Amino acid sequence: MAVYQISAEHLSIEQIGEIIKTGGKLELSEDARNRIVRCREYLDKKIAKSEKPIYGVTTGFGSLCNVSIGKDHLAKLQINLMKSHACGTGDRVPNEIVKIMLLLKIQSLSYGYSGCKLDTVERLVDFFNRDVYPVVYMQGSLGASGDLVPLAHLCLPLVGMGEVEYQGKVITGAKLLQMMRWKPIQLASKEGLALLNGTQNMSAFAVWALLQSKRLSDWADRIAAMSLDAYCGLVEPFTDAVHQVRPHRGQIETASHMRQLLEGSEIVEKPKAYVQDPYSFRCVPQVHGAAKDTIAYVEQVIDTEINSATDNPTVCPDEDLIISAGNFHGEPIALPMDFLAIALSELANISERRIYKLVSGTRGLPSFLVANPGINSGFMITQYTAAAVVSLNKSLCTPSSVDSIPSCQGQEDHVSMGANAAIKLYKVVLNTERVLAIELFNAAQALQFRRPLKSSPVIERIFDQYRQSVPFIINDEVMFPHIQESVDFLRNA
């Protein structure tokens, strides 16, 4: 089992994907441990010496920042913060994303700008390594003072509160500590705020979405190539010279990928009387390419975010500063998440249009891709389903980041709504995957009507692998299991 060291070194989105996929374990590097201890020692000394109030350390929170807290109540202040902020509602955040949240919170605290104690961070590492999943709810964060609500749920089990899922069962945080023979973490000053401030909920959704987006972008090209060949489409629109005169990187990459996917196809080589395809085939490089460029941009932003300290106040021992500022604000990632949702929605949008063409009874394909239409409806309603999902995506792509509702008696008067952007992005990812799976279901069916002609070796390999899960449909049968099998294929192939 691979063990990954948490340090100030750069953490990539690909590394996170590898850790989650392989079940890797974490450990704090010596440098990270030293940073955490040094910052905590500095903060303790500063509290002891300072006569000025320190926000969130010796004062209340939000609009209560002017209420001073006595030194004998500093620990109580932090535990009260954890309890009062656990106001989540709605569906649970999936365990896979919760695990990314834990990793990102550990990473952010390890830089030594947050003031957490070492044992607090080490317990979060224990949660990660032992597959303890705090129960976190989707709704409640404004994406402004960090993800206060979801991070409260994430961290409550540290002190024996809240709930976790462990070994497939939901138990209380108190029960978990009892089972593990762990003592509750005794929060010191500032720790509750360090745990609850930050963008790790939004960022975890974004990391997950980016990992899925790259996979789906690649599948979108492969499925489009199969659909194009099944439709007897033209390969000329993917000629490199066309794209060099409009050299968007994603467009050039997509055209190149399509040429590679279709190389050696007997169907491509077949003479054709027509000179144009519909846009949903002809403009794959332009549309899929724009999505690739969007993914690359969003990845750049999220990469910066996950390698940052995003709680408040920021403790800077080297500069002898403790400053209350705004690194918790989600605006830098809220806009890109809205943008990514729009890009993925377009992959689904153009995919549904290719489905429509495949079932429309043109270019020698039977109506609704069934040999005996009339008595059989064939693939008629698969297009309806795709259209319904695409329409829902369009609603989900209304940006969350353009909204702001003041909170905390006006102290927090502009919020990012980045957590809502993250939730919508999550739904759009799943919806796009479903539409692409439906297109693959249709494309494979249509391709079989082109026999004995063969597509390219690459497409035929995909076709053969897919046929091990999903059969050719001869007469009407219940279709929804095949759609789910197609989704599973995209996830596991």
Side-chain angles (χ1 to χ4, degrees), residues 108-249:
S108 183
L109 296 176
S110 73
Y111 294 124
Y113 300 119
S114 303
C116 265
K117 295 189 281 83
L118 182 60
D119 66 333
T120 304
V121 185
E122 287 178 328
R123 182 59 53 79
L124 290 171
V125 173
D126 290 335
F127 280 10
F128 186 95
N129 288 343
R130 303 217 184 182
D131 294 328
V132 173
Y133 301 102
V135 174
V136 182
Y137 296 96
M138 288 267 200
Q139 294 174 302
S141 173
L142 300 178
S145 289
D147 290 306
L148 293 172
V149 171
L151 291 179
H153 286 280
L154 186 79
C155 297
L156 269 178
L158 292 171
V159 296
M161 298 181 184
E163 293 181 321
V164 302
E165 182 179 319
Y166 181 62
Q167 295 182 338
K169 295 181 180 179
V170 174
I171 58 175
T172 65
K175 178 67 173 176
L176 173 75
L177 298 188
Q178 182 184 17
M179 289 174 62
M180 298 294 190
R181 298 184 179 179
W182 290 336
K183 292 182 179 179
I185 294 295
Q186 300 299 312
L187 294 178
S189 57
K190 209 293 192 169
E191 282 201 283
L193 200 57
L195 292 169
L196 270 58
N197 264 180
T199 62
Q200 287 77 40
N201 174 67
M202 290 178 278
S203 297
F205 274 94
V207 167
W208 178 87
L210 281 166
L211 291 169
Q212 305 310 314
S213 297
K214 290 183 175 182
R215 175 178 63 87
L216 294 178
S217 174
D218 186 59
W219 267 118
D221 289 354
R222 288 189 271 176
I223 295 167
M226 185 183 290
S227 291
L228 182 132
D229 237 8
Y231 193 65
C232 261
L234 301 167
V235 75
E236 285 78 8
F238 311 125
T239 303
D240 184 59
V242 172
H243 305 285
Q244 291 301 330
V245 301
R246 194 196 191 194
H248 293 291
R249 181 173 179 178

Side-chain angles (χ1 to χ4, degrees), residues 2 47 61 83 130 172 210 216 258 300 326 383 386 420 434:
I47 294 170
F61 309 105
K83 291 191 290 187
R130 303 217 184 182
T172 65
L210 281 166
L216 294 178
M258 292 293 286
Q300 176 188 349
Q383 185 264 329
N420 284 350
R434 291 170 186 137

Side-chain angles (χ1 to χ4, degrees), residues 11 41 53 72 166 183 265 282 330 348 365 413 461 464 487 489:
L11 176 67
E41 289 177 347
D72 54 339
Y166 181 62
K183 292 182 179 179
S265 168
R282 196 189 339 159
L365 291 173
D413 56 348
R461 279 196 298 272
D464 291 340
V487 170
F489 179 80

Side-chain angles (χ1 to χ4, degrees), residues 52-123:
K52 291 183 177 181
I54 303 171
Y55 170 74
V57 180
T58 60
T59 74
F61 309 105
S63 64
L64 301 175
C65 60
N66 295 318
V67 179
S68 294
I69 308 297
K71 292 185 178 181
D72 54 339
H73 290 107
L74 295 186
K76 182 68 172 176
L77 174 69
Q78 303 303 314
I79 198 76
N80 283 350
L81 175 74
M82 298 263 285
K83 291 191 290 187
S84 67
H85 284 48
C87 293
T89 190
D91 295 333
R92 279 178 56 183
V93 176
N95 286 344
E96 184 178 12
I97 297 177
V98 170
K99 193 151 192 178
I100 298 173
M101 287 174 65
L102 284 169
L103 193 162
L104 296 181
K105 176 52 78 174
I106 294 164
Q107 180 73 21
S108 183
L109 296 176
S110 73
Y111 294 124
Y113 300 119
S114 303
C116 265
K117 295 189 281 83
L118 182 60
D119 66 333
T120 304
V121 185
E122 287 178 328
R123 182 59 53 79

